[in-house]
Amino acid sequence: MSDDDDNIEMDDENVLAAEYTLGLLSAEESQAFEELLSIDPGFRQRYAFWAEGFAGLTDDIAPVEPPADLKDRILAELFPDKTLSRADPLATADSEPRPSFLQRLGLFPAVAGGLLAALVVLGVVDLMIDDAPTPATYVAEVAAEDQSLVVMASYAADSATLTVDRQAGAAAAGRSLELWLIPPGDGQAPISLGVLPQETAAAIQILADLVPSLDQGTLAISDEPEGGSPGDAPTGDILATGAITAA
Amino acid sequence: MTTTDQIEGYILDMAQGDRGAFEKLYAATSAKLFGVSLRVLGNRAEAEDAVQEAFIKIWRNADRFTANGFSPMTWLITVTRNHAIDRLRARKAPTQDIDEAYDLADAAPGPEAQAITAADRARIVDCMSGLEEQKADAVRRAYLEGDTYQDLAEAYGIPLNTIRTWLRRSLLKLRECLSQ
């Protein structure tokens, strides 16, 4: 290795790309690295180099046939119009009626029927629905009645990230605060979004199939054993709730 | 056995909205990707969820594939591995999300990055064996078990800065070997 400044810089860039690929960088560092990726082909090449190299670590992992219904679940999520049966119990999360393309256009059903048929023939309905803009942001103030726990949450569609900022309150000693999404409508089961960290701020990625449930849904925070609820549902007291509104 | 070219062809067809191509890609790669997910997560239900997320992302981002400079299997494995690592880390704390980090990158890289081929992939095994056992193990843990520097420091009982320094040195050594 040379002491030449250029080489040292090159080494740093290569190491940074490797750390990014492995996931060793902090959120801030990753973000900074992505800015470099977006402007510098050299970084893109370094990233592809490492992704390729590390993927080789999976070469000795034997294939395992997934269960037959996994494919159905994936197809049902990707192409909901083709599949009526939903095997996935979480399907309620994304089966909320979302305004159809035609509803958004403000067309009446009678008119819509003919147009819809034409669009289906052209095979464009799915593309148009997929491309339809989703609301840019949602916000919620998740607060206890006595304000002993207040968490501001905002969802950014472009990054599919829910940013939470705990402004008051904290988990009790040896306990955790867990964040839940309750889809709109009666009797919807809460879906865990994860345990809030000790830090006051956190960014939580929202899976695409949960996004429709944000619209007019509710966020709630429960008191749970350290590390979060052992099951799929809250086990402790609901400490705070807040309605999600489009921003 | 499906060839790299066939897999690439499926992805390109998927970018045009070809569902049949998606089903072929699934048939050709789901067992490998489920194997990888299972290796990372060690739990079938979670591994299934991670593979589901990965395939959905693969379908949605198929049109960006040609621009990202990855060979087809590397892209599929990277997306799957990242979703699996996210789930693994979410078990501990929901703060660090590696998959999100890759979104921009998936969109960003250009064709100039296309210098790497799948043949380079096989070299990693050779090159890892050139590292000290513990260092190769640390790289493997980061990639397959989602270990952070903090996790590695705890696992080996070595101060954080020390582990950072020696892992970075190992990565440079690895790069030198992979580039040969």
Side-chain angles (χ1 to χ4, degrees):
Chain A
M1 223 174 293
S2 156
D3 287 337
D4 186 72
D5 280 353
D6 283 352
N7 274 348
I8 290 172
E9 194 178 312
M10 191 90 87
D11 283 354
D12 285 346
E13 292 175 5
N14 281 319
V15 167
L16 196 63
E19 290 175 304
Y20 175 76
T21 313
L22 289 172
L24 290 170
L25 299 179
S26 70
E28 294 75 28
E29 290 167 332
S30 285
Q31 210 167 9
F33 185 82
E34 278 155 24
E35 280 165 29
L36 291 172
L37 276 181
S38 68
I39 54 173
D40 186 337
F43 275 99
R44 297 201 281 270
Q45 192 161 351
R46 286 181 193 97
Y47 172 42
F49 173 91
W50 284 112
E52 208 70 48
F54 290 135
L57 293 176
T58 67
D59 281 358
D60 61 351
I61 297 175
V64 181
E65 208 56 53
D69 69 330
L70 180 60
K71 184 179 170 188
D72 296 337
R73 298 208 304 264
I74 294 170
L75 291 176
E77 183 168 350
L78 283 179
F79 318 120
D81 56 317
K82 290 281 182 186
T83 317
L84 295 173
S85 64
R86 308 297 299 251
D88 184 349
L90 279 182
T92 46
D94 61 358
S95 63
E96 284 304 310
R98 74 193 256 193
S100 75
F101 166 62
L102 294 163
Q103 281 172 321
R104 269 179 269 142
L105 277 184
L107 294 175
F108 292 102
V111 182
L115 180 56
L116 183 61
L119 290 171
V120 168
V121 169
L122 291 171
V124 297
V125 167
D126 275 352
L127 284 174
M128 298 178 98
I129 288 176
D130 283 350
D131 289 343
T134 45
T137 55
Y138 290 107
V139 293
E141 180 180 347
V142 194
E145 264 179 50
D146 61 1
Q147 303 286 306
S148 60
L149 176 64
V150 179
V151 172
M152 302 303 292
S154 66
Y155 172 79
D158 51 0
S159 59
T161 302
L162 184 74
T163 307
V164 292
D165 179 19
R166 183 158 48 78
Q167 300 185 336
R175 306 285 292 176
S176 288
L177 296 174
E178 187 160 357
L179 183 65
W180 303 85
L181 169 63
I182 304 164
D186 288 337
Q188 296 286 346
I191 299 161
S192 176
L193 297 178
V195 172
L196 295 179
Q198 302 232 305
E199 297 82 59
T200 55
I204 299 165
Q205 189 165 39
I206 303 297
L207 298 178
D209 57 358
L210 292 183
V211 172
S213 301
L214 291 175
D215 196 37
Q216 297 178 45
T218 303
L219 289 177
I221 296 170
S222 68
D223 167 54
E224 298 294 339
E226 201 161 14
S229 165
D232 290 336
T235 60
D237 293 340
I238 299 292
L239 303 176
T241 60
I244 302 171
T245 53
Chain B
M1 184 71 196
T2 317
T3 66
T4 300
D5 283 351
Q6 278 174 307
I7 292 173
E8 183 151 16
Y10 298 152
I11 297 172
L12 297 180
D13 288 346
M14 281 161 54
Q16 305 299 316
D18 182 343
R19 297 179 189 188
F22 178 80
E23 299 202 26
K24 285 181 198 152
L25 183 88
Y26 184 90
T29 62
S30 58
K32 176 68 186 183
L33 300 183
F34 187 54
V36 170
S37 185
L38 205 51
R39 164 70 178 79
V40 171
L41 285 158
N43 165 313
R44 284 187 74 94
E46 281 196 283
E48 287 171 29
D49 288 346
V51 167
Q52 178 168 354
E53 289 162 6
F55 269 107
I56 283 160
K57 178 167 226 172
I58 288 161
W59 168 261
R60 293 192 174 142
N61 287 359
D63 57 343
R64 299 173 187 173
F65 165 72
T66 47
N68 73 16
F70 287 32
S71 69
M73 273 318 287
T74 292
W75 182 52
L76 305 181
I77 289 167
T78 303
V79 171
T80 306
R81 176 262 177 184
N82 291 347
H83 275 284
I85 296 286
D86 279 349
R87 288 192 162 261
L88 195 63
R89 288 186 174 178
R91 276 188 210 156
K92 303 171 192 169
T95 46
Q96 264 202 323
D97 206 320
I98 181 173
D99 171 61
E100 191 207 330
Y102 284 89
D103 270 356
L104 248 177
D106 287 347
E112 66 278 356
Q114 232 141 17
I116 299 95
T117 67
D120 297 328
R121 243 175 47 200
R123 290 191 52 81
I124 186 109
V125 178
D126 283 344
C127 290
M128 291 277 280
S129 64
L131 298 180
E132 280 170 46
E133 184 55 37
Q134 199 179 44
K135 293 171 183 176
D137 186 51
V139 172
R140 212 172 273 119
R141 286 176 70 130
Y143 189 72
L144 290 173
E145 283 155 44
D147 273 15
T148 60
Y149 277 126
Q150 186 66 47
D151 296 329
L152 293 170
E154 282 165 23
Y156 298 117
I158 295 173
L160 193 60
N161 281 333
T162 311
I163 203 132
R164 228 184 265 273
T165 307
W166 72 241
L167 192 62
R168 283 177 179 163
R169 256 187 231 134
S170 304
L171 290 168
L172 276 180
K173 208 170 158 193
L174 204 52
R175 187 178 196 287
E176 213 174 303
C177 173
L178 286 168
S179 311
Q180 272 163 20

